[in-house]
Amino acid sequence: GVILFDPITGQSKKYALKDVPKWVDRVYGADDTIKKIDWHYSLKNGYWNTVFAKNDIKQTTDEYNYISIGSDIYLYSGLTSINSDSSNLGFVLTNMRTRETTFYKLASTTERNAMRSAEGAVQDKRYDATSPILTKLNGQSYYLVSLKDNGNLIKAYALVNAEDFQQVKVAETINDLLQQVNVDTIKSDEPSNQSAKNEIKGKIVNIKTQVVNGTTIYYLKLEDNKIYKVKASEKTLDVLPFIEIGQTISGFVDNDNFLVNVTIE
């Protein structure tokens, strides 16, 4: 169970695990959680398999971090084979209040490789990389790494391609880092029969948004005073919020003046 202690009044109350209030951020410790995950993936084929055949034995990597999803705190760590320490098979995500754990399959480099790659991109400054956070931008998985100086102050950020850790982007701010990724194409849910559309290109002079039937629509006014629309979706969330006046946009006009295959320069 869990004992919640009020540091102001000194009162405490014990809860069974099934009755722990949802506002509690964390019930289980990280070390214990990692140990249980390692037990599960090493012993699921029996103890003797860990001694002799050693088939399909996995373990967590040396790094883990925390992310917030909704009102809950999650621990995540890479999962790798015991026969390899250079690549991950995927990631585990554990709710620190319920210890519910989910495995996500994603072939990628390890967190340590990503950290070394980020440090190598600024080796002249001798920054130290922090444990990375996995993120997805424009459909590509990246490790987001903070780079700190000797005073433990964050001086830069790096995005390391999770599948090819030799590809690294570095900037002094998160926004500048995202701008380096935002040059990629925005993919829309609309059909992409480009032969039936007219291609447009122009500079954005005004931006408005409106929610229609639960979907956010971006209205982009170009320098020719024409207004085009882009529909927000899971494929555009990493790019659309960062569109700015003065940027040049190109794409194909679909039905009702919606743009598809949009590129921001």
Side-chain angles (χ1 to χ4, degrees):
V2 174
I3 297 176
L4 299 183
F5 178 80
D6 188 327
I8 298 178
T9 66
Q11 295 179 339
S12 61
K13 184 176 180 179
K14 182 178 179 179
Y15 293 87
L17 289 177
K18 64 183 180 63
D19 298 324
V20 175
K22 290 186 177 181
W23 55 263
V24 174
D25 290 330
R26 180 170 165 175
V27 172
Y28 297 94
D31 291 341
D32 181 64
T33 298
I34 291 292
K35 180 173 67 175
K36 296 295 194 302
I37 294 171
D38 285 339
W39 282 357
H40 172 77
Y41 284 103
S42 63
L43 297 171
K44 66 177 184 177
N45 291 322
Y47 168 75
W48 293 112
N49 179 64
T50 67
V51 179
F52 298 108
K54 297 183 180 181
N55 292 326
D56 194 28
I57 297 179
K58 305 179 184 70
Q59 63 186 6
T60 54
T61 56
D62 294 333
E63 298 291 331
Y64 66 85
N65 214 321
Y66 301 98
I67 59 175
S68 174
I69 302 177
S71 60
D72 286 329
I73 303 298
Y74 288 78
L75 175 146
Y76 85 88
S77 175
L79 201 66
T80 185
S81 167
I82 62 167
N83 298 318
S84 173
D85 59 0
S86 61
S87 62
N88 286 345
L89 303 171
F91 296 84
V92 286
L93 199 64
T94 301
N95 186 310
M96 300 304 284
R97 179 172 56 82
T98 66
R99 204 158 68 183
E100 179 182 0
T101 300
T102 306
F103 170 69
Y104 296 91
K105 186 176 181 180
L106 176 65
S108 61
T109 187
T110 63
E111 297 95 317
R112 283 289 176 91
N113 278 345
M115 293 166 65
R116 286 194 290 265
S117 187
E119 291 172 346
V122 289
Q123 58 182 342
D124 56 316
K125 298 180 180 179
R126 297 185 178 180
Y127 291 156
D128 294 320
T130 61
S131 184
I133 294 175
L134 188 68
T135 185
K136 180 171 283 189
L137 301 171
N138 289 348
Q140 175 62 52
S141 298
Y142 294 93
Y143 286 110
L144 175 61
V145 183
S146 299
L147 293 164
K148 295 184 176 182
D149 63 9
N150 291 334
N152 208 32
L153 298 175
I154 296 177
K155 292 297 184 179
Y157 300 90
L159 277 177
V160 182
N161 190 304
E163 298 173 47
D164 181 3
F165 66 93
Q166 300 295 334
Q167 298 184 34
V168 185
K169 304 177 188 295
V170 179
E172 293 184 356
T173 68
I174 292 290
N175 285 338
D176 289 343
L177 197 59
L178 290 175
Q179 288 297 325
Q180 295 185 42
V181 181
N182 287 347
V183 298
D184 294 339
T185 298
I186 302 175
K187 297 187 181 297
S188 171
D189 288 334
E190 298 295 320
S192 57
N193 180 14
Q194 297 181 4
S195 62
K197 308 180 185 74
N198 295 319
E199 185 175 8
I200 63 97
K201 183 175 182 179
K203 184 175 294 185
I204 301 172
V205 297
N206 202 353
I207 303 171
K208 299 292 183 183
T209 62
Q210 181 178 214
V211 178
V212 180
N213 295 327
T215 300
T216 301
I217 306 296
Y218 283 73
Y219 297 82
L220 308 177
K221 185 177 182 179
L222 304 188
E223 53 193 343
D224 61 0
N225 288 325
K226 292 183 179 180
I227 298 176
Y228 300 94
K229 296 177 287 186
V230 181
K231 183 185 298 185
S233 70
E234 292 182 356
K235 299 178 182 178
T236 64
L237 289 178
D238 295 324
V239 179
L240 280 178
F242 304 99
I243 289 179
E244 297 179 352
I245 293 174
Q247 290 182 312
T248 298
I249 187 173
S250 61
F252 292 86
V253 183
D254 205 343
N255 300 329
D256 300 322
N257 262 16
F258 276 96
L259 294 181
V260 296
N261 294 349
V262 178
T263 301
I264 303 295
E265 299 179 3

